[in-house]
Amino acid sequence: APSAPRFRLRARQSASDRLVHRDLSVVAPSKPATPTRSQSNSPARSCPVPPLRGFTRRHAPEKGKMAGVGEGPLGTKLHSSATKVSYPRPTRVKNKAPAPTQITAEQIVREAKERQEETFRAPKQKITDAEELAEYRLKKRKEFEDLIRRVYWNESVWVKYAKWEETQKDFARARSVWERALDYNYRSQSLWLKYAEMEMSHKFVNHARNVWDRAVNLLPRVDQFWYKYIHMEEMMGQVANTRAIFERWMQWEPDHNGWNAYVKMETRYKEWARVRHVYERYVQCHPSVKAWVRWAKFEMSLGDVARCRAVYEDAVETMEREVDVDQLYVKFAQFEERVKEPERARAIYKYALDNLPKEKAREAYKAFTAFEKQYGDRGAIEDVIVGKQRVKYEEEVRANPTSYDSWFDYTRMEEQHGDVEKAREVYERAIANVPPQNEKRYWKRYIFLWINYALFEEMDAQDPERTREVYRECLKLIPHKSFSFSKVWIMASQFEIRQKRLDAARKILGMAIGMHPKEKIFKTYIDMEMQLGNIDRCRTLYEKALELNPFNCSSWVKFAELEKSLAETERARAIFEIAVGMDQLDQPEILWKAFIDFETEEGERGRCRALYERLLERTQHVKVWISFAQFELRAMALNNDDDDDDETQEPEAAAARRAAAEEAAAAADPEEAEPRRVESARGVYERALRSLKENQPDAKEERVMLLEAWRAFEEGVGGGDDRVAEVEKKMPRRVKRKRPIYTEDGTPAGQEEYYDYIFPEEQGAAPNLKILEAAYKWKRQKTGDE
């Protein structure tokens, strides 16, 4: 026994030795050929040669043995050429041009489809005797059973098995298959339906009842089983059984469709009492608008209006606190509209709008609008539209109580509608939303609600007491320590003036000055006293205003104008002197101009000249010099003339009158002669130019402005070409230059171009300007030649 395996191993080795010797006899024992250049460089030759299967490292030639000779697995001597592996030479593509006939992927797929062999179809088997039929049935049942054993969870296998038994008219076996399928999955609706359909299609009524009864007991929430069961009983005329099935179903409280099917069944047999009884149970099970409306429509279909109205009334009492009660009100009103009761419908709509929340009354408002357009007058239609807008504004102010724009629109709508109490209620609700912070920017829109409220009470409601109370509460509410609104104080005082209560108006304005004095309040108070002719009060108010704000130039000017209007020249001059003596003013140019105009109108040339000199001591602005020169040129007699006379007269007559006035003034005062005035004005221009050169050498644009005004002056007075040429010589030349620009942190940001002015006296200080001038001259000549 132990020698048997060794014998087999030797047999295998001898067989392998014979195979190797046979292979070696084919190979020539000469030395291997030298590889060519293409073979040595080919990737196949560069790869290492894998050893033959069965050869290991222990078969490699040892030292001292002949090179190129190896040893096989059985001790056989092998030449190296026997172990060499040769690879096929790669094919080179010589012609890479596209083929003349191209083929698309669609053609390949189509040809593959055309050449595809037809699938194998088993030949039809014809059964000729009972033995073959029994054999066929046994074979099919075995196939179905094997298939069920593998995939019992697949319903389609059970269904095919049962239907096949049904085709063989073996209903007992078919029922057995269905029952086995239901044992695996009794929750499958399709199995129950197909099982029952088999029984019904072959008129096994009791079997079908049994199936449906078991189905509705196991799965009572599947409405399709109930519908099929009821349909079968009703088709057989078993009304009592149908009603009994409905009663069983109603105990499970189905949805609206189930109750509606019960109602329709009783309606088909005209059992009106039973129908009403079903509806009573229906609305108790599902207290919804749909259920009540269906009941009302049923009563309306019978023509019983009283019962229908009673149904709607019971529905309103029952559904009063439900979410969708607005739909019920609309349906009720539409019912009254159909039975020609518009007053009842209007009452229902108004009751709904009064009791429904505003956000749920949209559909009711929409239906009410359509109703009023059909049955109502213009006033009723407007009421509906206002109600609809009221709902919109209520939603907006509820979402954002401090949205004062919405409150403005809401109050304006109520005012236009004419309901005083409603508008007053909206105003009270609006002013109750005080801004959350004491910052004036938040109060600006809010304070206009109070103003509109006061104007509404005064103009529309014509209630002076409530208007006065509104102003009083508004003034109490404003935080005067932080800010105030002069408009409210002024409107409150003007209201008291309209009510002929001057003392109350003075008291309000006095409180305003004491709590938060503003320029507008002083101006209003002074205008009121001026209209009343109380000059002393006006002077007192001006003194108070200047005491509180002595830097306000407009107050000084108006105070002086008041004294001037009263022909108090010395008082007006004194006021101006005090004003210009102030060290700090907000708009001193206005004050100086008004003072100079005042002296000019008075005809005091010397005083005006002195004022200009005092002003030039404070500022060397070029406009002051130009104004000074124009003043020296102007005749004082023209300032005293009435401008209205010039406007009423013709131009020639006005010019003649002015010339006569100038001659009279020159005769009275030599300084008013035209040559003297021209020389004085020219002297002012020369002084101004020297002052700008010495004090403001960098103000080149101002010097240019002065020279242009001087040139216009010389051309206007007719001083001659010499004078104009002399001024022209002083005019600078404008050149374009570049200067570096820097960012805020001092980093260079490139260069910008600007225009500079080169005056004649600066020509020697800039030697490079001659080169630039020559370049400009050359460029002009070249341009002219072209």
PDB file of all heavy atoms in Angstrom, residues 259 263 266-267 270-284 295 298-304 307-308 311:
ATOM      1  N   TRP A 259     -69.666  57.814   4.128  1.00  0.00           N
ATOM      2  CA  TRP A 259     -70.997  58.296   4.520  1.00  0.00           C
ATOM      3  C   TRP A 259     -71.800  58.732   3.298  1.00  0.00           C
ATOM      4  O   TRP A 259     -73.017  58.500   3.227  1.00  0.00           O
ATOM      5  CB  TRP A 259     -70.856  59.460   5.491  1.00  0.00           C
ATOM      6  CG  TRP A 259     -70.383  59.064   6.847  1.00  0.00           C
ATOM      7  CD1 TRP A 259     -69.120  59.109   7.319  1.00  0.00           C
ATOM      8  CD2 TRP A 259     -71.192  58.536   7.905  1.00  0.00           C
ATOM      9  NE1 TRP A 259     -69.063  58.658   8.611  1.00  0.00           N
ATOM     10  CE2 TRP A 259     -70.332  58.300   9.005  1.00  0.00           C
ATOM     11  CE3 TRP A 259     -72.541  58.244   8.052  1.00  0.00           C
ATOM     12  CZ2 TRP A 259     -70.785  57.787  10.209  1.00  0.00           C
ATOM     13  CZ3 TRP A 259     -72.999  57.742   9.265  1.00  0.00           C
ATOM     14  CH2 TRP A 259     -72.128  57.516  10.327  1.00  0.00           C
ATOM     15  N   VAL A 263     -75.504  57.470   2.051  1.00  0.00           N
ATOM     16  CA  VAL A 263     -76.611  58.385   1.736  1.00  0.00           C
ATOM     17  C   VAL A 263     -77.139  58.137   0.328  1.00  0.00           C
ATOM     18  O   VAL A 263     -78.362  58.103   0.086  1.00  0.00           O
ATOM     19  CB  VAL A 263     -76.137  59.841   1.905  1.00  0.00           C
ATOM     20  CG1 VAL A 263     -77.166  60.804   1.340  1.00  0.00           C
ATOM     21  CG2 VAL A 263     -75.867  60.153   3.366  1.00  0.00           C
ATOM     22  N   GLU A 266     -79.355  54.976   0.213  1.00  0.00           N
ATOM     23  CA  GLU A 266     -80.709  55.196   0.723  1.00  0.00           C
ATOM     24  C   GLU A 266     -81.512  56.107  -0.193  1.00  0.00           C
ATOM     25  O   GLU A 266     -82.734  55.976  -0.323  1.00  0.00           O
ATOM     26  CB  GLU A 266     -80.637  55.795   2.129  1.00  0.00           C
ATOM     27  CG  GLU A 266     -79.969  54.920   3.164  1.00  0.00           C
ATOM     28  CD  GLU A 266     -80.793  53.677   3.497  1.00  0.00           C
ATOM     29  OE1 GLU A 266     -81.931  53.549   2.983  1.00  0.00           O
ATOM     30  OE2 GLU A 266     -80.307  52.834   4.277  1.00  0.00           O
ATOM     31  N   THR A 267     -80.815  57.072  -0.839  1.00  0.00           N
ATOM     32  CA  THR A 267     -81.510  57.977  -1.756  1.00  0.00           C
ATOM     33  C   THR A 267     -82.024  57.225  -2.980  1.00  0.00           C
ATOM     34  O   THR A 267     -83.105  57.537  -3.512  1.00  0.00           O
ATOM     35  CB  THR A 267     -80.563  59.111  -2.182  1.00  0.00           C
ATOM     36  OG1 THR A 267     -80.039  59.768  -1.031  1.00  0.00           O
ATOM     37  CG2 THR A 267     -81.276  60.129  -3.055  1.00  0.00           C
ATOM     38  N   LYS A 270     -85.182  55.928  -2.103  1.00  0.00           N
ATOM     39  CA  LYS A 270     -86.104  56.967  -1.644  1.00  0.00           C
ATOM     40  C   LYS A 270     -86.537  56.761  -0.197  1.00  0.00           C
ATOM     41  O   LYS A 270     -87.705  56.956   0.157  1.00  0.00           O
ATOM     42  CB  LYS A 270     -87.327  57.035  -2.558  1.00  0.00           C
ATOM     43  CG  LYS A 270     -86.961  57.402  -3.994  1.00  0.00           C
ATOM     44  CD  LYS A 270     -88.193  57.500  -4.873  1.00  0.00           C
ATOM     45  CE  LYS A 270     -87.796  57.856  -6.304  1.00  0.00           C
ATOM     46  NZ  LYS A 270     -88.988  57.984  -7.178  1.00  0.00           N
ATOM     47  N   GLU A 271     -85.602  56.378   0.613  1.00  0.00           N
ATOM     48  CA  GLU A 271     -85.855  56.254   2.052  1.00  0.00           C
ATOM     49  C   GLU A 271     -85.425  57.564   2.711  1.00  0.00           C
ATOM     50  O   GLU A 271     -84.343  57.700   3.290  1.00  0.00           O
ATOM     51  CB  GLU A 271     -85.050  55.070   2.614  1.00  0.00           C
ATOM     52  CG  GLU A 271     -85.452  53.715   2.056  1.00  0.00           C
ATOM     53  CD  GLU A 271     -86.795  53.255   2.624  1.00  0.00           C
ATOM     54  OE1 GLU A 271     -87.249  53.843   3.638  1.00  0.00           O
ATOM     55  OE2 GLU A 271     -87.385  52.327   2.064  1.00  0.00           O
ATOM     56  N   TRP A 272     -86.301  58.609   2.610  1.00  0.00           N
ATOM     57  CA  TRP A 272     -85.909  59.952   3.059  1.00  0.00           C
ATOM     58  C   TRP A 272     -85.671  60.005   4.559  1.00  0.00           C
ATOM     59  O   TRP A 272     -84.746  60.706   5.021  1.00  0.00           O
ATOM     60  CB  TRP A 272     -86.972  60.966   2.657  1.00  0.00           C
ATOM     61  CG  TRP A 272     -87.395  60.884   1.217  1.00  0.00           C
ATOM     62  CD1 TRP A 272     -88.667  60.788   0.742  1.00  0.00           C
ATOM     63  CD2 TRP A 272     -86.542  60.903   0.062  1.00  0.00           C
ATOM     64  NE1 TRP A 272     -88.695  60.723  -0.621  1.00  0.00           N
ATOM     65  CE2 TRP A 272     -87.378  60.809  -1.085  1.00  0.00           C
ATOM     66  CE3 TRP A 272     -85.167  60.961  -0.133  1.00  0.00           C
ATOM     67  CZ2 TRP A 272     -86.891  60.788  -2.371  1.00  0.00           C
ATOM     68  CZ3 TRP A 272     -84.684  60.950  -1.422  1.00  0.00           C
ATOM     69  CH2 TRP A 272     -85.519  60.864  -2.519  1.00  0.00           C
ATOM     70  N   ALA A 273     -86.464  59.318   5.303  1.00  0.00           N
ATOM     71  CA  ALA A 273     -86.264  59.331   6.752  1.00  0.00           C
ATOM     72  C   ALA A 273     -84.925  58.698   7.108  1.00  0.00           C
ATOM     73  O   ALA A 273     -84.187  59.193   8.000  1.00  0.00           O
ATOM     74  CB  ALA A 273     -87.412  58.587   7.440  1.00  0.00           C
ATOM     75  N   ARG A 274     -84.617  57.589   6.454  1.00  0.00           N
ATOM     76  CA  ARG A 274     -83.317  56.960   6.712  1.00  0.00           C
ATOM     77  C   ARG A 274     -82.153  57.883   6.285  1.00  0.00           C
ATOM     78  O   ARG A 274     -81.117  57.917   6.939  1.00  0.00           O
ATOM     79  CB  ARG A 274     -83.230  55.626   5.967  1.00  0.00           C
ATOM     80  CG  ARG A 274     -84.138  54.547   6.513  1.00  0.00           C
ATOM     81  CD  ARG A 274     -83.958  53.252   5.739  1.00  0.00           C
ATOM     82  NE  ARG A 274     -84.784  52.182   6.252  1.00  0.00           N
ATOM     83  CZ  ARG A 274     -84.437  51.380   7.263  1.00  0.00           C
ATOM     84  NH1 ARG A 274     -83.270  51.547   7.871  1.00  0.00           N
ATOM     85  NH2 ARG A 274     -85.253  50.427   7.678  1.00  0.00           N
ATOM     86  N   VAL A 275     -82.378  58.595   5.163  1.00  0.00           N
ATOM     87  CA  VAL A 275     -81.324  59.517   4.709  1.00  0.00           C
ATOM     88  C   VAL A 275     -81.068  60.589   5.762  1.00  0.00           C
ATOM     89  O   VAL A 275     -79.905  60.906   6.091  1.00  0.00           O
ATOM     90  CB  VAL A 275     -81.713  60.153   3.360  1.00  0.00           C
ATOM     91  CG1 VAL A 275     -80.716  61.243   2.985  1.00  0.00           C
ATOM     92  CG2 VAL A 275     -81.768  59.101   2.270  1.00  0.00           C
ATOM     93  N   ARG A 276     -82.118  61.190   6.319  1.00  0.00           N
ATOM     94  CA  ARG A 276     -81.929  62.223   7.352  1.00  0.00           C
ATOM     95  C   ARG A 276     -81.269  61.646   8.587  1.00  0.00           C
ATOM     96  O   ARG A 276     -80.422  62.297   9.219  1.00  0.00           O
ATOM     97  CB  ARG A 276     -83.289  62.835   7.703  1.00  0.00           C
ATOM     98  CG  ARG A 276     -83.895  63.662   6.573  1.00  0.00           C
ATOM     99  CD  ARG A 276     -85.105  64.441   7.043  1.00  0.00           C
ATOM    100  NE  ARG A 276     -85.664  65.222   5.943  1.00  0.00           N
ATOM    101  CZ  ARG A 276     -86.691  64.844   5.194  1.00  0.00           C
ATOM    102  NH1 ARG A 276     -87.301  63.667   5.445  1.00  0.00           N
ATOM    103  NH2 ARG A 276     -87.131  65.616   4.212  1.00  0.00           N
ATOM    104  N   HIS A 277     -81.656  60.400   8.935  1.00  0.00           N
ATOM    105  CA  HIS A 277     -81.024  59.763  10.087  1.00  0.00           C
ATOM    106  C   HIS A 277     -79.527  59.540   9.834  1.00  0.00           C
ATOM    107  O   HIS A 277     -78.686  59.747  10.725  1.00  0.00           O
ATOM    108  CB  HIS A 277     -81.725  58.428  10.381  1.00  0.00           C
ATOM    109  CG  HIS A 277     -81.133  57.701  11.551  1.00  0.00           C
ATOM    110  ND1 HIS A 277     -81.165  58.188  12.832  1.00  0.00           N
ATOM    111  CD2 HIS A 277     -80.464  56.504  11.619  1.00  0.00           C
ATOM    112  CE1 HIS A 277     -80.565  57.350  13.652  1.00  0.00           C
ATOM    113  NE2 HIS A 277     -80.118  56.310  12.933  1.00  0.00           N
ATOM    114  N   VAL A 278     -79.196  59.149   8.594  1.00  0.00           N
ATOM    115  CA  VAL A 278     -77.776  58.961   8.255  1.00  0.00           C
ATOM    116  C   VAL A 278     -77.036  60.295   8.319  1.00  0.00           C
ATOM    117  O   VAL A 278     -75.903  60.377   8.822  1.00  0.00           O
ATOM    118  CB  VAL A 278     -77.645  58.317   6.863  1.00  0.00           C
ATOM    119  CG1 VAL A 278     -76.173  58.298   6.425  1.00  0.00           C
ATOM    120  CG2 VAL A 278     -78.204  56.907   6.871  1.00  0.00           C
ATOM    121  N   TYR A 279     -77.659  61.374   7.832  1.00  0.00           N
ATOM    122  CA  TYR A 279     -77.014  62.684   7.867  1.00  0.00           C
ATOM    123  C   TYR A 279     -76.791  63.154   9.307  1.00  0.00           C
ATOM    124  O   TYR A 279     -75.773  63.811   9.616  1.00  0.00           O
ATOM    125  CB  TYR A 279     -77.853  63.711   7.101  1.00  0.00           C
ATOM    126  CG  TYR A 279     -77.460  63.832   5.650  1.00  0.00           C
ATOM    127  CD1 TYR A 279     -78.374  63.592   4.633  1.00  0.00           C
ATOM    128  CD2 TYR A 279     -76.169  64.189   5.289  1.00  0.00           C
ATOM    129  CE1 TYR A 279     -78.014  63.697   3.293  1.00  0.00           C
ATOM    130  CE2 TYR A 279     -75.796  64.287   3.953  1.00  0.00           C
ATOM    131  CZ  TYR A 279     -76.725  64.051   2.971  1.00  0.00           C
ATOM    132  OH  TYR A 279     -76.355  64.149   1.650  1.00  0.00           O
ATOM    133  N   GLU A 280     -77.746  62.872  10.190  1.00  0.00           N
ATOM    134  CA  GLU A 280     -77.550  63.250  11.589  1.00  0.00           C
ATOM    135  C   GLU A 280     -76.329  62.549  12.184  1.00  0.00           C
ATOM    136  O   GLU A 280     -75.529  63.169  12.903  1.00  0.00           O
ATOM    137  CB  GLU A 280     -78.814  62.899  12.389  1.00  0.00           C
ATOM    138  CG  GLU A 280     -80.011  63.775  12.056  1.00  0.00           C
ATOM    139  CD  GLU A 280     -81.253  63.336  12.800  1.00  0.00           C
ATOM    140  OE1 GLU A 280     -81.150  62.331  13.563  1.00  0.00           O
ATOM    141  OE2 GLU A 280     -82.316  63.962  12.623  1.00  0.00           O
ATOM    142  N   ARG A 281     -76.205  61.269  11.880  1.00  0.00           N
ATOM    143  CA  ARG A 281     -75.024  60.538  12.358  1.00  0.00           C
ATOM    144  C   ARG A 281     -73.750  61.030  11.652  1.00  0.00           C
ATOM    145  O   ARG A 281     -72.657  61.079  12.251  1.00  0.00           O
ATOM    146  CB  ARG A 281     -75.206  59.050  12.124  1.00  0.00           C
ATOM    147  CG  ARG A 281     -76.352  58.451  12.925  1.00  0.00           C
ATOM    148  CD  ARG A 281     -76.715  57.069  12.407  1.00  0.00           C
ATOM    149  NE  ARG A 281     -75.556  56.165  12.452  1.00  0.00           N
ATOM    150  CZ  ARG A 281     -75.529  54.965  11.870  1.00  0.00           C
ATOM    151  NH1 ARG A 281     -76.590  54.539  11.190  1.00  0.00           N
ATOM    152  NH2 ARG A 281     -74.451  54.209  11.959  1.00  0.00           N
ATOM    153  N   TYR A 282     -73.905  61.402  10.383  1.00  0.00           N
ATOM    154  CA  TYR A 282     -72.766  61.878   9.599  1.00  0.00           C
ATOM    155  C   TYR A 282     -72.177  63.159  10.200  1.00  0.00           C
ATOM    156  O   TYR A 282     -70.956  63.280  10.406  1.00  0.00           O
ATOM    157  CB  TYR A 282     -73.243  62.082   8.164  1.00  0.00           C
ATOM    158  CG  TYR A 282     -72.209  62.606   7.188  1.00  0.00           C
ATOM    159  CD1 TYR A 282     -70.842  62.522   7.439  1.00  0.00           C
ATOM    160  CD2 TYR A 282     -72.615  63.188   5.969  1.00  0.00           C
ATOM    161  CE1 TYR A 282     -69.909  62.987   6.529  1.00  0.00           C
ATOM    162  CE2 TYR A 282     -71.690  63.651   5.061  1.00  0.00           C
ATOM    163  CZ  TYR A 282     -70.340  63.558   5.351  1.00  0.00           C
ATOM    164  OH  TYR A 282     -69.422  64.023   4.443  1.00  0.00           O
ATOM    165  N   VAL A 283     -73.034  64.162  10.493  1.00  0.00           N
ATOM    166  CA  VAL A 283     -72.513  65.435  11.017  1.00  0.00           C
ATOM    167  C   VAL A 283     -72.005  65.288  12.446  1.00  0.00           C
ATOM    168  O   VAL A 283     -71.202  66.108  12.911  1.00  0.00           O
ATOM    169  CB  VAL A 283     -73.605  66.521  10.932  1.00  0.00           C
ATOM    170  CG1 VAL A 283     -73.983  66.792   9.488  1.00  0.00           C
ATOM    171  CG2 VAL A 283     -74.847  66.136  11.743  1.00  0.00           C
ATOM    172  N   GLN A 284     -72.483  64.256  13.149  1.00  0.00           N
ATOM    173  CA  GLN A 284     -71.918  64.012  14.473  1.00  0.00           C
ATOM    174  C   GLN A 284     -70.541  63.360  14.381  1.00  0.00           C
ATOM    175  O   GLN A 284     -69.668  63.640  15.194  1.00  0.00           O
ATOM    176  CB  GLN A 284     -72.865  63.118  15.278  1.00  0.00           C
ATOM    177  CG  GLN A 284     -74.163  63.799  15.695  1.00  0.00           C
ATOM    178  CD  GLN A 284     -75.083  62.866  16.455  1.00  0.00           C
ATOM    179  OE1 GLN A 284     -74.726  61.701  16.711  1.00  0.00           O
ATOM    180  NE2 GLN A 284     -76.274  63.358  16.793  1.00  0.00           N
ATOM    181  N   TRP A 295     -75.867  67.983   3.639  1.00  0.00           N
ATOM    182  CA  TRP A 295     -77.203  67.781   4.197  1.00  0.00           C
ATOM    183  C   TRP A 295     -78.156  68.872   3.708  1.00  0.00           C
ATOM    184  O   TRP A 295     -79.292  68.601   3.290  1.00  0.00           O
ATOM    185  CB  TRP A 295     -77.109  67.767   5.723  1.00  0.00           C
ATOM    186  CG  TRP A 295     -78.405  67.316   6.376  1.00  0.00           C
ATOM    187  CD1 TRP A 295     -79.552  66.920   5.769  1.00  0.00           C
ATOM    188  CD2 TRP A 295     -78.667  67.250   7.782  1.00  0.00           C
ATOM    189  NE1 TRP A 295     -80.506  66.594   6.685  1.00  0.00           N
ATOM    190  CE2 TRP A 295     -79.995  66.773   7.942  1.00  0.00           C
ATOM    191  CE3 TRP A 295     -77.906  67.511   8.909  1.00  0.00           C
ATOM    192  CZ2 TRP A 295     -80.569  66.598   9.191  1.00  0.00           C
ATOM    193  CZ3 TRP A 295     -78.479  67.313  10.154  1.00  0.00           C
ATOM    194  CH2 TRP A 295     -79.789  66.866  10.298  1.00  0.00           C
ATOM    195  N   PHE A 298     -79.134  68.324   0.191  1.00  0.00           N
ATOM    196  CA  PHE A 298     -80.124  67.247   0.077  1.00  0.00           C
ATOM    197  C   PHE A 298     -81.529  67.769   0.352  1.00  0.00           C
ATOM    198  O   PHE A 298     -82.476  67.484  -0.399  1.00  0.00           O
ATOM    199  CB  PHE A 298     -79.774  66.118   1.044  1.00  0.00           C
ATOM    200  CG  PHE A 298     -80.906  65.181   1.324  1.00  0.00           C
ATOM    201  CD1 PHE A 298     -81.320  64.263   0.376  1.00  0.00           C
ATOM    202  CD2 PHE A 298     -81.578  65.232   2.551  1.00  0.00           C
ATOM    203  CE1 PHE A 298     -82.386  63.401   0.632  1.00  0.00           C
ATOM    204  CE2 PHE A 298     -82.632  64.374   2.810  1.00  0.00           C
ATOM    205  CZ  PHE A 298     -83.034  63.462   1.851  1.00  0.00           C
ATOM    206  N   GLU A 299     -81.665  68.563   1.422  1.00  0.00           N
ATOM    207  CA  GLU A 299     -82.989  69.110   1.734  1.00  0.00           C
ATOM    208  C   GLU A 299     -83.455  70.062   0.646  1.00  0.00           C
ATOM    209  O   GLU A 299     -84.641  70.123   0.319  1.00  0.00           O
ATOM    210  CB  GLU A 299     -82.943  69.839   3.083  1.00  0.00           C
ATOM    211  CG  GLU A 299     -82.582  68.965   4.269  1.00  0.00           C
ATOM    212  CD  GLU A 299     -83.664  67.935   4.589  1.00  0.00           C
ATOM    213  OE1 GLU A 299     -84.779  68.018   4.000  1.00  0.00           O
ATOM    214  OE2 GLU A 299     -83.417  67.058   5.430  1.00  0.00           O
ATOM    215  N   MET A 300     -82.476  70.831   0.064  1.00  0.00           N
ATOM    216  CA  MET A 300     -82.846  71.761  -0.997  1.00  0.00           C
ATOM    217  C   MET A 300     -83.261  71.013  -2.258  1.00  0.00           C
ATOM    218  O   MET A 300     -84.133  71.471  -3.012  1.00  0.00           O
ATOM    219  CB  MET A 300     -81.652  72.684  -1.302  1.00  0.00           C
ATOM    220  CG  MET A 300     -81.999  73.875  -2.169  1.00  0.00           C
ATOM    221  SD  MET A 300     -83.177  74.962  -1.326  1.00  0.00           S
ATOM    222  CE  MET A 300     -83.561  76.095  -2.671  1.00  0.00           C
ATOM    223  N   SER A 301     -82.656  69.847  -2.498  1.00  0.00           N
ATOM    224  CA  SER A 301     -83.043  69.062  -3.672  1.00  0.00           C
ATOM    225  C   SER A 301     -84.472  68.549  -3.560  1.00  0.00           C
ATOM    226  O   SER A 301     -85.126  68.310  -4.579  1.00  0.00           O
ATOM    227  CB  SER A 301     -82.068  67.896  -3.852  1.00  0.00           C
ATOM    228  OG  SER A 301     -82.157  66.988  -2.753  1.00  0.00           O
ATOM    229  N   LEU A 302     -84.963  68.359  -2.330  1.00  0.00           N
ATOM    230  CA  LEU A 302     -86.352  67.951  -2.123  1.00  0.00           C
ATOM    231  C   LEU A 302     -87.299  69.128  -2.139  1.00  0.00           C
ATOM    232  O   LEU A 302     -88.523  68.947  -2.023  1.00  0.00           O
ATOM    233  CB  LEU A 302     -86.485  67.201  -0.791  1.00  0.00           C
ATOM    234  CG  LEU A 302     -85.675  65.901  -0.666  1.00  0.00           C
ATOM    235  CD1 LEU A 302     -85.884  65.293   0.715  1.00  0.00           C
ATOM    236  CD2 LEU A 302     -86.042  64.912  -1.756  1.00  0.00           C
ATOM    237  N   GLY A 303     -86.737  70.376  -2.228  1.00  0.00           N
ATOM    238  CA  GLY A 303     -87.580  71.559  -2.264  1.00  0.00           C
ATOM    239  C   GLY A 303     -88.058  72.010  -0.905  1.00  0.00           C
ATOM    240  O   GLY A 303     -88.984  72.839  -0.826  1.00  0.00           O
ATOM    241  N   ASP A 304     -87.480  71.539   0.159  1.00  0.00           N
ATOM    242  CA  ASP A 304     -87.911  71.895   1.512  1.00  0.00           C
ATOM    243  C   ASP A 304     -86.981  73.018   2.012  1.00  0.00           C
ATOM    244  O   ASP A 304     -85.911  72.782   2.591  1.00  0.00           O
ATOM    245  CB  ASP A 304     -87.824  70.677   2.423  1.00  0.00           C
ATOM    246  CG  ASP A 304     -88.615  70.873   3.712  1.00  0.00           C
ATOM    247  OD1 ASP A 304     -88.907  72.043   4.034  1.00  0.00           O
ATOM    248  OD2 ASP A 304     -88.906  69.878   4.395  1.00  0.00           O
ATOM    249  N   ARG A 307     -86.607  73.248   6.015  1.00  0.00           N
ATOM    250  CA  ARG A 307     -85.666  72.261   6.576  1.00  0.00           C
ATOM    251  C   ARG A 307     -84.219  72.637   6.242  1.00  0.00           C
ATOM    252  O   ARG A 307     -83.316  72.485   7.064  1.00  0.00           O
ATOM    253  CB  ARG A 307     -85.984  70.867   6.036  1.00  0.00           C
ATOM    254  CG  ARG A 307     -87.173  70.195   6.690  1.00  0.00           C
ATOM    255  CD  ARG A 307     -87.347  68.793   6.141  1.00  0.00           C
ATOM    256  NE  ARG A 307     -88.451  68.083   6.749  1.00  0.00           N
ATOM    257  CZ  ARG A 307     -88.371  67.373   7.878  1.00  0.00           C
ATOM    258  NH1 ARG A 307     -87.226  67.284   8.501  1.00  0.00           N
ATOM    259  NH2 ARG A 307     -89.437  66.760   8.358  1.00  0.00           N
ATOM    260  N   CYS A 308     -84.022  73.121   5.027  1.00  0.00           N
ATOM    261  CA  CYS A 308     -82.665  73.518   4.628  1.00  0.00           C
ATOM    262  C   CYS A 308     -82.160  74.667   5.497  1.00  0.00           C
ATOM    263  O   CYS A 308     -81.013  74.659   5.963  1.00  0.00           O
ATOM    264  CB  CYS A 308     -82.666  73.920   3.154  1.00  0.00           C
ATOM    265  SG  CYS A 308     -81.030  74.316   2.507  1.00  0.00           S
ATOM    266  N   VAL A 311     -81.262  73.388   8.853  1.00  0.00           N
ATOM    267  CA  VAL A 311     -79.964  72.699   8.836  1.00  0.00           C
ATOM    268  C   VAL A 311     -78.831  73.716   8.922  1.00  0.00           C
ATOM    269  O   VAL A 311     -77.869  73.538   9.693  1.00  0.00           O
ATOM    270  CB  VAL A 311     -79.841  71.835   7.563  1.00  0.00           C
ATOM    271  CG1 VAL A 311     -78.406  71.328   7.409  1.00  0.00           C
ATOM    272  CG2 VAL A 311     -80.796  70.668   7.619  1.00  0.00           C
TER     273      VAL A 311
END
